[in-house]
Amino acid sequence: MPAAGKVALVAIVGNEDGAHHCHAACFQSLNDIGFTIPANGGVYWVGEAMGDVTYVDLPKTPEAVAGMIEMAASNAAHLAALLKGKAYVGVDQ
């Protein structure tokens, strides 16, 4: 599998239930082709229920979202370094 030993993150913009469902579907698909998903590998932004503000309309990224994105990126980089140092058995680097 060409993606074996590679790390993937998923970012979703939408409501919480929809984001969790989308993460689940994306993670399964990514896993099926060999990607590894790190801890906190899915991040999402949830606007106000029935609101009319979308993520691109925000003046800046909310602090909580920025923190979660930073954590996800850090976890992904850490996992990628671990996999680079010691690949899964049978996976060429």
Side-chain angles (χ1 to χ4, degrees):
M1 287 196 272
K6 293 185 174 25
V7 177
L9 294 175
V10 176
I12 305 290
V13 177
N15 69 43
E16 186 173 12
D17 291 339
H20 289 177
H21 176 76
C22 289
H23 280 132
C26 290
F27 290 159
Q28 184 60 53
S29 297
L30 290 164
N31 181 266
D32 285 348
I33 60 172
F35 282 98
T36 301
I37 309 298
N40 192 52
V43 295
Y44 63 91
W45 174 78
V46 179
E48 181 181 334
M50 305 301 284
D52 59 354
V53 176
T54 63
Y55 188 80
V56 297
D57 294 332
L58 297 175
K60 67 178 194 156
T61 301
E63 193 173 311
V65 175
M68 294 306 291
I69 292 169
E70 185 177 330
M71 183 188 308
S74 177
N75 289 347
H78 177 71
L79 179 58
L82 292 173
L83 290 173
K84 185 175 184 178
K86 183 170 174 126
Y88 291 117
V89 175
V91 175
D92 294 328
Q93 293 207 28

